[in-house]
Amino acid sequence: MVGTATILLRSATAILALLSNVRAAPTEVSKRAVAFDYNANKVRGVNLGGWFVLEPWITPSIFGEWSSSNTVVDEYTYTKTLGKAEASSRLNNHWNTFITQADFNAIAQAGLNHVRIPIGYWAVAPLGGDPYVQGQLDVLDKAINWARGAGLKVMLDLHGAPGSQNGFDNSGKYGSIDWQQGDTVSQTLTALKNLANRYKGDTDVVTAVELLNEPLGPRLNMGGVQDFYSKGSQTVQSASSNFAIALHDAFQTDWSGFGGGVDNVMIDTHQYQIFSPDEVGRSPSEHVSHACGLGPQLASTNKWILVGEWTGAQTDCAKWLNGLGKGARYDGSFPDSRYTGDCKGKSVGSVASLSSDDKNNIRSYIEAQLDAYEQHTGWFFWTWKTESAPEWDMQDLLAGGLFPQPLTSRQHPGQCG
């Protein structure tokens, strides 16, 4: 999920510019045997956020004992503070209970066909001196089998790289961006190699590998990012040519020639309209309009393109969404923001506790995004489950009737024309 600093984030307008630079008639891009036909079928998926890479806003109970001190803000400081033995005990319990086979079955029953599973480099290629603990892969192995049994496909997403590729807490380590320094890129390639080799025999289920989540292009050497993407694609497809490759757009506005020379490549763009004062200040109808505006641009790209993260949220009210201890732009409690509305009922709680207006607006917004994003390859909603963030919790949104069932059902038809 996109991080918090407004200056580091892009608006929907910039995203449209990105897509306009790669416009062309969609082509048949598949050359090898991937176990999902991304040309003929839509990806309808959900992220399993907060499972193998901690995020305080998804599971605030894990971070609650540090809510006053703000000394533990991510998985790095969590494991460093607890020490390996205690961190391993707590995280093994989390990994084995937060998402289970029942979740995979429920995802399939909701009509979805994919899950995107974030994983950190430390799970597959731990570095000496890091405080992180391991054991995630034993549970991930089970998850692949759960997906197989439920009829779901899996995208494995390297969500955190050595040094942090964006400085966001969801990279594992909040703060400085040190990826591309020292050996961090080669260490990331090692993580991809280990991940691909581990699951090269499971390409009936694991159809795609995302090389890196949200590298912060404006703060990185983009030539180096493109070189990493080229080497990473070769690394993963050397393990199995049956893997499709997902490349995050790195918040760039010109990706013509993006992924050139790589078979079965897809662009991943993330769509949030809440991480700047102007975006979070939009009216519900403006949120819908901006979402719909993306559809034709997606439809005209000449590569597979996924909206790999998006939300029903029109506010950034969810507790700790902007970082542990930080407020929200929506109610003006985040630095350099202005008041738009009250976060009451949206900061913590359930879908059932939302106002009738909020429910209607969220349903309308979700429907518009579904209509827009299915104009090309498809989408992954962020996220399947949270402890208390009602605008973001797909499981709760489904139960509350705000996420369409079936997925093609519409209470607000024709919003995107």
Side-chain angles (χ1 to χ4, degrees), residues 104-127:
F104 280 77
N105 294 340
I107 289 166
Q109 289 165 6
L112 280 71
N113 53 31
H114 277 69
V115 291
R116 180 173 177 258
I117 304 180
I119 193 82
Y121 77 88
W122 55 89
V124 288
L127 300 176

Side-chain angles (χ1 to χ4, degrees), residues 251-275:
F251 308 104
Q252 296 299 289
T253 58
D254 184 2
W255 277 94
S256 52
F258 185 67
V262 180
D263 290 339
N264 299 324
V265 66
M266 60 183 72
I267 301 171
D268 173 22
T269 185
H270 295 174
Q271 296 297 310
Y272 297 111
Q273 295 186 40
I274 55 174
F275 290 113

Side-chain angles (χ1 to χ4, degrees), residues 8 34 43 45 52 56 117 146 160-161 228 231 241 244 263 272 275 318 322 336 355 360 387-388:
L8 303 180
V34 175
V43 173
F52 298 127
I117 304 180
W146 296 338
F228 164 73
K231 291 177 179 177
S241 61
D263 290 339
Y272 297 111
F275 290 113
N322 295 307
D336 299 320
S355 71
N360 183 70
E387 288 181 345
S388 59

